[in-house]
Amino acid sequence: MPSTSSRSPRVAVLGAGAAGLCVAIKLLEAGIDDLVILEKSDGVGGTWRANTYPGAACDVPSHLYSFSFAPKKDWTRKFAEQPEILSYFEGIADRYDLRRRIRTGCEVRRARFDEDTAEWHLELADGTEVIADVVVSGLGQLNRPYTPDIEGLDSFGGEVFHSARWRHDVDLAGKRVGVIGNGASAVQFLPPTAERAGHVTLFQRSANWILPKPDREFSARERRILASVPFAERLFRWNIYWRLEKNFFFMRRGSRLGKLIDRMASKELRKLVSDDLPAEALIPDYPPGCKRILISNDYYQTLLRPNVSVELAHIDHVEPGAVVTEDGTRHEVDVLIFGTGFRSTEFLAPMEVTGRAGADLNDAWATGARAHLGVAIAGFPNFFMLYGPNTNLGHNSIIFMIEAQSRYITRAVRELRDDGLAWIDVRADVMDRYNTRLQKNADGTVWVADCDSWYKNEHGVVTNNWPAFTVSYWKRMRDFRSHEFVRRART
Ligand code: NAP
């Protein structure tokens, strides 16, 4: 018989971004109130706190990029910009009284499970320790900027920074700026950068599929309707959800829709081809969806500006005041900006995580990160993840996935509490079977086509994306199956 009077397990949530906030709210609602949120930075918001580059905005419509249980009905535009999104998550922390539970400036270096006491020992960067019964990582996939190790970079002499650590103190006015990378972030910061800089050289390895962004401001009337007409906001949200959900059809290998986009977009892009902007710079040589499909209304116009040039030769090295490409050309620049993405396939690294019988997560994930449903890893009891392996999306809102995961994890922690358990640990055979099926599905997606993307690791294994409709994930996550876990009673 479950004893609902059992004490709340002590829960440590890592990260005060969207994921950490969401799971904290769901745990508190379930009465699991011995909870602390350990945040490395100085505040709330995660990626929306870190990424302040000019033009930063979400490429998922805001009404769906917000919690279903805490809708914001007065978004100013369809695709909100970073300050409005950050302010939404800060407001969530206030509304749910989470700030008193958040310890900022806390970087967890090591997490070690003690089997004798069934406790997690979290070692912080300042040498102190936090002890918890349950650890929930809200670190996600995109929290560690990746800067390639380019020969001679140390000798450059000018300012160098990554887009996720934008240096607002560096005035780009009139400067010669080198931008390395042209992914989701660069597509957003390149246009405002080109407006300010004297000249921008974009070092591009491969072109992206970029579609028009159906963005605009909401009128005062629209906002009134969304705020006051019963169910208007709900219906609007669901409309966005299903419109995006159908885009998973693109993600299927050989999809007819994908081929149609390829044909139509290539035809439009060929109109922009010139001596300065060859087809190779504009038209991707891989199917749409293999990498994230980007949206922008000003990116191609920016490439056509007289003060912007696209360099397709690969970078060989950097020397004082210049980037030298493999064809021997010396490109003189004053500032270098890396839009080179994140260490997305490394997940929890560099944190060291040690589970049962001294199991090391780095070893367990040597050939690629894997988990059960993206949230639990065999051998690591009472340790859960949000936005973990194979839960990223190329077609819908990650907030939807995070909510499903938060409910599932809350259900697991409730079981610990109510059944008087010391720990639960997903069975290795369950996790293996799940991943075999998942990889079979991934094989049927366009992500395995011939393109480099952060959706797969260096072995070509799709470690990051959920290879199906999100509705099937949602359905599966509603069903917490106790028999899939080894359960150890509290002694
Ligand atoms: P990204 O999409 O991974 O793009 C990285 C770029 O850097 C690519 O153009 C890549 O070239 C280039 N690159 C990587 N290593 C390089 C090297 N050694 N030398 C030269 N170029 C190199 O990274 P991101 O733009 O930061 O975006 C990452 C993810 O963050 C997105 O996919 C998205 O999920 C998220 N994001 C979301 C939004 C949003 O609106 N919600 C905005 C920004 C970012 P190749 O393509 O040739 O490899």
Side-chain angles (χ1 to χ4, degrees), residues 63-64 68 231-246 396 400 403 407 470-471 474:
H63 284 86
L64 195 60
S68 62
F231 304 115
E233 188 274 340
R234 222 54 347 202
L235 286 173
F236 189 63
R237 183 184 178 94
W238 282 112
N239 180 282
I240 299 168
Y241 172 79
W242 288 110
R243 273 193 295 116
L244 294 186
E245 185 70 342
K246 75 161 182 355
N396 211 328
F400 181 84
E403 283 192 29
R407 272 194 308 270
T470 63
V471 76
W474 170 82

Side-chain angles (χ1 to χ4, degrees), residues 34-111:
D34 193 343
L35 183 148
V36 63
I37 303 175
L38 305 173
E39 166 58 47
K40 180 172 150 186
S41 80
D42 61 350
V44 168
T47 194
W48 296 105
R49 186 170 199 84
N51 285 272
T52 61
Y53 58 78
C58 189
D59 58 8
V60 172
S62 312
H63 284 86
L64 195 60
Y65 198 86
S66 40
F67 297 132
S68 62
F69 55 84
K72 172 174 157 64
K73 300 183 177 183
D74 61 350
W75 288 105
T76 57
R77 54 188 315 122
K78 281 193 167 179
F79 294 85
E81 292 174 357
Q82 177 265 340
E84 192 173 8
I85 301 171
L86 176 61
S87 146
Y88 168 76
F89 287 118
E90 287 181 330
I92 291 289
D94 293 329
R95 179 165 154 193
Y96 290 89
D97 194 17
L98 295 176
R99 286 199 194 259
R100 65 192 172 91
R101 299 177 183 276
I102 300 174
R103 281 176 55 187
T104 54
C106 285
E107 181 185 354
V108 179
R109 289 268 170 86
R110 274 187 203 91

Side-chain angles (χ1 to χ4, degrees), residues 119-137:
E119 284 170 331
W120 278 97
H121 291 252
L122 304 177
E123 188 186 311
L124 307 187
D126 66 4
T128 59
E129 189 178 74
V130 171
I131 296 180
D133 302 308
V134 175
V135 176
V136 184
S137 163

Side-chain angles (χ1 to χ4, degrees), residues 387-418:
Y387 195 8
N390 293 105
T391 63
N392 179 59
L393 302 175
H395 73 289
N396 211 328
S397 173
I398 193 62
I399 300 289
F400 181 84
M401 303 295 270
I402 286 170
E403 283 192 29
Q405 291 156 4
S406 297
R407 272 194 308 270
Y408 183 93
I409 293 168
T410 301
R411 173 74 175 74
V413 181
R414 262 177 40 209
E415 187 149 320
L416 267 181
R417 178 194 63 186
D418 297 348

Side-chain angles (χ1 to χ4, degrees), residues 16 23 42 56 59 63 93 100 111 118 135 147 167 182 234 239 286 301 332 346 369 373 384 429 444 461 478-479 483:
V23 77
D42 61 350
D59 58 8
H63 284 86
R100 65 192 172 91
V135 176
T147 304
R167 288 274 306 277
N182 59 328
R234 222 54 347 202
N239 180 282
Y286 55 85
Q301 283 164 19
E332 291 193 356
E346 295 175 8
L373 299 167
F384 302 99
D429 61 318
V461 181
R478 287 177 67 83
D479 183 15
H483 65 269

